[in-house]
Amino acid sequence: MPERTDWEAKARGIIRAEMARQNVTYAQLVEKLAEIGVSEDERNLRNKVSRGKFTAAFMLACLKALSASEKTDFI
């Protein structure tokens, strides 16, 4: 069974990879999240992603804001 930190690293990596793929900064992600009704400031967003400690709901919101939902229809 993978360690908890392994899952946190994977979650962090998914968000960072999608941000990098789309060339989106944390400031831009904050704006995109606001567009879908998720209030977050840049500092908190950086900290959450850096730690990899966030809810599945938050991760789905980030992926939706990054338009990753174009590739998956479950978001």
Side-chain angles (χ1 to χ4, degrees):
M1 183 86 165
E3 296 276 330
R4 181 178 186 151
T5 55
D6 292 343
W7 293 114
E8 292 164 355
K10 287 180 187 291
R12 174 179 56 235
I14 289 169
I15 291 177
R16 285 183 173 170
E18 191 62 25
M19 287 175 67
R21 190 181 74 75
Q22 294 187 31
N23 200 29
V24 172
T25 65
Y26 284 100
Q28 291 169 323
L29 181 53
V30 166
E31 292 174 11
K32 289 175 178 287
L33 285 166
E35 290 174 11
I36 63 167
V38 178
S39 177
E40 195 67 59
D41 71 32
E42 185 178 350
R43 182 177 179 187
N44 287 342
L45 178 63
R46 281 181 184 277
N47 287 337
K48 278 184 183 181
V49 174
S50 177
R51 286 189 313 265
K53 292 183 182 264
F54 41 78
T55 65
F58 178 78
M59 183 172 178
L60 291 174
C62 287
L63 294 176
K64 177 71 172 180
L66 289 166
S67 299
S69 62
E70 293 173 4
K71 293 149 211 72
T72 57
D73 44 345
F74 63 86
I75 301 176

